[in-house]
Each structure stands twice: as C-alpha cells, then as structure tokens.
Amino acid sequence: MSTRTRILTLSELGPGEMRALDIEDLPPLAAFNVDGRICVTSNVCTHNVATLTDGYFEGEIVECPLHGGCFNVTTGLPTQFPCVQPLQIYPVMVEHGVVYLEDPRVEVLP
C-alpha cells in the first residue's frame, strides 16, 4: 500500500518558483515548479552544506548560493562544477490540484 504526504497545492507554487519544505520526520526538501510540473529534491547541496532554496532557480536549473554549483531539478543531476554528486529526487503525484509526495521513505536516485 502506497503512503503519500500532502506537501502543497498547485496554487501555492507558481511556474518558475521554488519553496523549501519542512515536513516532520523527513530531511530538508525543496519543491520546484518547472512549467507546471512539480519536482521535489533534497534541499541540501551535495557539494557543501547549503540550502538550495536560498539560491537561484531558472528553467530546470537551481544554483547553490554557496559556490555557484548547479543541478537539474527534474533529474537531480549536477550541471555545473563544483557539484558532481546528484541530488536525491522524490516522486510526487498531483491530484485535484494538491501535490503529494509519494512514499517519502523511497528516494529516487538519478
């Protein structure tokens, strides 16, 4: 049986926006709206401990505020040095305008 956690509504995260997610019993997560598609990743840069949602987000790319490394939020893959290790990404489901994190204990690695 699948477990899911409500994280936000589509109206709370417009296209091109990102948001830190603070969900009890889960690591820091970030939600990104990529042209209407919601992507959820770890909110911690894999290069050095920094909060990605304090950085810059455009298109599919989030830039870490600490050293300027970048990740593709749809795949978790690093796109700019010094980041070389991918971000953890998490599966989501949208139902009636509500975004759910599918079983949050399951991490999807790129």
Side-chain angles (χ1 to χ4, degrees), residues 34 37 39-41 60-61 71-79 86-90 108-110:
V34 179
R37 176 181 172 201
C39 301
V40 175
T41 71
E60 296 180 349
I61 306 298
F71 300 92
N72 183 308
V73 300
T74 66
T75 64
L77 295 176
T79 62
L87 285 175
Q88 295 174 344
I89 58 174
Y90 296 84
V108 179
L109 297 176

Side-chain angles (χ1 to χ4, degrees), residues 14-95:
E17 294 180 347
M18 64 179 166
R19 170 183 282 190
L21 300 173
D22 183 23
I23 302 171
E24 189 175 338
D25 297 327
L26 292 178
L29 301 177
F32 302 89
N33 186 326
V34 179
D35 296 324
R37 176 181 172 201
I38 305 300
C39 301
V40 175
T41 71
S42 167
N43 197 16
V44 179
C45 180
T46 60
H47 167 251
N48 202 341
V49 179
T51 303
L52 292 174
T53 53
D54 288 341
Y56 181 71
F57 173 57
E58 184 175 354
E60 296 180 349
I61 306 298
V62 64
E63 180 180 329
C64 177
L66 193 56
H67 294 115
C70 296
F71 300 92
N72 183 308
V73 300
T74 66
T75 64
L77 295 176
T79 62
Q80 178 70 36
F81 188 78
C83 299
V84 294
Q85 182 179 356
L87 285 175
Q88 295 174 344
I89 58 174
Y90 296 84
V92 296
M93 172 185 184
V94 179
E95 188 175 90

